[in-house]
Amino acid sequence: LRAVQFSSFGLADEVLEVNDIPTPKLRHGQILVRVTHRPINPSDLLFVRGLYGIKPRLPATPGFEGCGVVETIGDGAEGFTEGQRVVIGGVMGTWQEYITAQPRQLIAIPDALSDQVAAQFLINPVTAWVMVTNELGVTEGQWLLQTAAGSAVGRLVIQISKIKGFQTINLVRRKDQVPDLLEYGATAVISTEDEDAPNQILDATKGQGVNAAIDAVGGWTGAIAARSLRPGGTMLVYGLLAEERTPIDTGDMIFKGSTIRGFWLTQWLQKTPRDEFAETMGTLMDLFVDGKLTLSVDAEYDLAAVKDAVQHAAQGGRKGKILLTG
Ligand SMILES: NC(=O)c1ccc[n+]([C@@H]2O[C@H](COP(=O)([O-])OP(=O)(O)OC[C@H]3O[C@@H](n4cnc5c(N)ncnc54)[C@H](OP(=O)(O)O)[C@@H]3O)[C@@H](O)[C@H]2O)c1
């Protein structure tokens, strides 16, 4: 089977290659899935560079999610049928044609959900939902500020704000993203190209600051987000897009009682009981089927063109995810 692999850590367009490897053997209790679609997420590119929270033994195959079709059901595995479309999550190495998984790593895909959405169903929707509802508990009428608001997670958070009735202040790094996100349903969109972004945040919240914030950028953008918290507010940091650490005002943490902590989906998946996980998946699946949540795709590339695909994924101004097919 064809597998995208890397034998040394580095930039994805330099170190990735497509190799022929043996089809993985089914062990007791496993299911063999023919993978058809997988997204290129920022975490995949960090993983290939050796900068992610999980460092693999080399050679390794990237990809923490995707979707496909059940090919073979091994002895002792149940809950699925051959030919069924499934989301694959909580695994490593979806950037290959076949993967083995435990039934608990698969979710049945309803007919109404396209492969393009199913391929990116797990990581970003669950992250967006769990951060703002479970972890921060942002309620109707409150203000949430987010950075990298034009990202897939950012757009999901804006859609969730409409479902839950909270207000969003959205920081983006390019002015041309402002009208697009306003049309999407953002309450306010501020470009960090404007030097007075902190004042604009205060103006939008009538001098109060925001109840909660989520930051995927870091550096000075992360610092602006942290400073925007009102007393008692909480910020979750969940991405390293700027590759700079955030200078935090520890005085604010003392005198305003603000909290800043990290969020990593991998840890949430490890600690969350099976029934709570299933309930969250069910809620999200219903929201996608009802059209209240959507995800977009900018382009699809066959696995063989993975270098072009990762170059496209690294470009600014995309209108959605880059998917690898085949
Ligand atoms: N902690 C977790 O468990 C977890 C889970 C899921 C996602 N994440 C993180 O969430 C973030 C978003 O992921 P995604 O898949 O939604 O991203 P995405 O759809 O690929 O979009 C990336 C976005 O980030 C913006 N961006 C890139 N570099 C930036 C920088 N230096 N400063 C400001 N904006 C920048 C891009 O803006 P342009 O259009 O201008 O390029 C684009 O809007 C990533 O950091 C990812 O690792 C974390």
Side-chain angles (χ1 to χ4, degrees):
L1 65 87
R2 293 183 307 159
V4 174
Q5 290 188 314
F6 56 109
S7 306
S8 59
F9 294 111
L11 293 174
D13 60 344
E14 291 173 8
V15 300
L16 292 181
E17 47 191 31
V18 183
N19 294 325
D20 254 323
I21 63 164
T23 304
K25 288 217 162 52
L26 265 185
R27 296 213 191 112
H28 186 81
Q30 287 188 327
I31 292 177
L32 183 69
V33 178
R34 179 168 59 81
V35 190
T36 57
H37 298 75
R38 348 59 193 141
I40 299 178
N41 287 321
S43 52
D44 297 317
L45 305 180
L46 284 180
F47 181 71
V48 174
R49 288 170 62 195
L51 302 176
Y52 194 57
I54 301 164
K55 221 168 170 177
R57 251 191 273 150
L58 301 178
T61 294
F64 298 112
E65 69 176 337
C67 72
V69 177
V70 171
E71 180 86 5
T72 315
I73 300 186
D75 288 343
E78 47 190 40
F80 295 90
T81 51
E82 284 172 10
Q84 189 173 9
R85 292 164 67 234
V86 286
V87 167
I88 312 152
V91 294
M92 213 192 300
T94 56
W95 293 14
Q96 58 187 9
E97 287 176 315
Y98 290 89
I99 195 166
T100 52
Q102 317 254 340
R104 64 178 170 76
Q105 294 168 315
L106 304 177
I107 301 168
I109 305 174
D111 289 345
L113 211 67
S114 69
D115 289 337
Q116 283 68 19
V117 171
Q120 30 173 346
F121 171 76
L122 195 75
I123 295 179
N124 286 334
V126 179
T127 298
W129 182 263
V130 169
M131 282 197 300
V132 302
T133 63
N134 303 25
E135 299 285 322
L136 292 171
V138 191
T139 53
E140 193 170 350
Q142 288 191 329
W143 282 100
L144 173 84
L145 179 139
Q146 64 167 340
T147 63
S151 67
V153 172
R155 286 166 189 270
L156 286 159
V157 166
I158 294 171
Q159 294 172 64
I160 295 168
S161 76
K162 292 195 283 182
I163 298 164
K164 296 279 179 185
F166 60 83
Q167 308 178 84
T168 57
I169 297 187
N170 298 275
L171 297 192
V172 291
R173 65 172 168 180
R174 291 179 290 106
K175 277 194 176 126
D176 61 1
Q177 289 168 300
V178 175
D180 181 28
L181 291 191
L182 283 174
E183 205 172 300
Y184 222 77
T187 321
V189 188
I190 297 169
S191 165
T192 49
E193 281 179 292
D194 290 338
E195 281 173 9
D196 70 340
N199 287 329
Q200 291 186 41
I201 297 166
L202 278 180
D203 284 350
T205 57
K206 301 201 165 47
Q208 301 287 302
V210 295
N211 305 84
I214 56 173
D215 173 45
V217 176
W220 283 107
T221 304
I224 293 172
R227 248 172 45 196
S228 75
L229 290 173
R230 64 177 65 179
T234 299
M235 176 164 103
L236 295 182
V237 288
Y238 74 103
L240 300 167
L241 288 167
E243 300 192 17
E244 288 166 29
R245 297 309 188 241
T246 301
I248 295 294
D249 183 340
T250 44
D252 268 2
M253 297 176 78
I254 300 168
F255 300 117
K256 283 169 56 181
S258 50
T259 303
I260 299 173
R261 58 191 163 87
F263 175 83
W264 191 24
L265 180 66
T266 303
Q267 274 170 352
W268 183 84
L269 290 172
Q270 282 162 359
K271 73 176 188 199
T272 300
R274 199 60 209 153
D275 53 346
E276 190 183 330
F277 172 80
E279 194 185 324
T280 305
M281 297 307 109
T283 303
L284 286 169
M285 198 61 92
D286 288 348
L287 289 170
F288 276 104
V289 169
D290 292 348
K292 291 188 176 137
L293 292 180
T294 57
L295 283 162
S296 351
V297 169
D298 199 50
E300 297 185 17
Y301 290 81
D302 183 78
L303 282 180
V306 65
K307 289 195 181 215
D308 294 335
V310 293
Q311 277 172 0
H312 190 163
Q315 279 167 20
R318 280 184 284 107
K319 291 274 175 255
K321 277 285 157 200
I322 305 302
L323 299 185
L324 289 168
T325 58

